[in-house]
Amino acid sequence: MTPAEASAKSLEICRKAPVIPVLVIDDLAHARPLAEALVKGGLPVLEVTLRTPVALEAIREMAQVEGGIVGAGTLLTPADVKAAKEAGALFGVSPGATDILLDACEAADLPLLPGAATASEAMALLERGYTVQKFFPAEANGGAKALKAIGAPIPQVTFCPTGGVSLKNAPDYLGLANTACVGGSWVAPKDMMIAGDWDGIVALAQEAAQLPR
């Protein structure tokens, strides 16, 4: 998969909904009902971060939910890429980008949303052919104002800002010309998952799915 092909697929995925839930799953029993709730609420694209022991198995479970498009986040190494692909991930997300990681994703035909925090990083990824990138960590790097500023000299790149994005500030990002969608964890609060409040998560997803862009 070429960088251009990966970016085209990433853009298609980002256009599915205004918010991509960023999910940290500690209990495998939560995987399927969480995916069902988010998809039911109008958020079909799900990023499962590889930060917990059950993350890969959670991807396998969630990939079976009808209407869901499940990807793996926090990809750091070629081994992560291989494991994510084998688990059924349809796309990958990384906090930053290295040549080794990019090579691995391209070889595995796994569309990657590579992370960039600065104009130089965005330019380096663009030089390789990645026109769709993750702006991370968004709020810590100056928020929507910073992303707008980066977009002025680099309009060729479209971003999915993630990191500190909430229901309150998501519209600031979604209103930018260089933003396709945002990534956020607020639609799947840990306390709701523990309580099994799937209806509550459906409601949060519906609210997020209606954000204008």
Side-chain angles (χ1 to χ4, degrees), residues 34-52:
L34 175 60
E36 291 172 345
L38 291 168
V39 171
K40 182 179 180 180
L43 301 180
V45 182
L46 312 173
E47 176 191 337
V48 179
T49 61
L50 300 187
R51 302 180 194 177
T52 69

Side-chain angles (χ1 to χ4, degrees), residues 23-42 62 187-206:
L23 309 171
V24 179
I25 300 175
D26 295 297
D27 186 341
L28 185 58
H30 295 159
R32 185 182 288 268
L34 175 60
E36 291 172 345
L38 291 168
V39 171
K40 182 179 180 180
M62 299 172 88
V187 292
K190 189 171 184 178
D191 58 343
M192 279 191 176
M193 286 194 278
I194 292 173
D197 185 6
W198 309 119
D199 288 340
I201 290 177
V202 170
L204 290 177
Q206 288 174 331

Side-chain angles (χ1 to χ4, degrees), residues 26-188:
D26 295 297
D27 186 341
L28 185 58
H30 295 159
R32 185 182 288 268
L34 175 60
E36 291 172 345
L38 291 168
V39 171
K40 182 179 180 180
L43 301 180
V45 182
L46 312 173
E47 176 191 337
V48 179
T49 61
L50 300 187
R51 302 180 194 177
T52 69
V54 302
L56 290 169
E57 197 58 42
I59 290 173
R60 289 189 182 91
E61 285 289 313
M62 299 172 88
Q64 298 176 46
V65 173
E66 186 175 355
I69 302 168
V70 185
T74 325
L75 294 182
L76 303 178
T77 67
D80 290 338
V81 174
K82 183 175 185 292
K85 182 83 173 183
E86 289 176 351
L90 297 179
F91 66 95
V93 185
S94 60
T98 66
D99 287 334
I100 290 174
L101 182 66
L102 295 172
D103 288 343
C105 286
E106 290 162 17
D109 288 331
L110 185 69
L112 179 69
L113 194 60
T118 66
S120 292
E121 291 172 0
M123 288 170 62
L125 284 166
L126 177 61
E127 191 174 85
R128 182 154 175 156
Y130 287 90
T131 56
V132 182
Q133 305 171 18
K134 169 183 173 178
F135 181 54
F136 177 83
E139 282 295 288
N141 277 312
K145 288 183 179 179
L147 188 54
K148 181 179 180 180
I150 288 174
I154 316 174
Q156 303 95 322
V157 179
T158 300
F159 292 92
C160 170
T162 304
V165 180
S166 65
L167 180 65
K168 182 178 180 181
N169 62 25
D172 297 335
Y173 292 100
L174 292 169
L176 299 178
N178 62 340
T179 297
C181 65
V182 300
S185 59
W186 83 88
V187 292

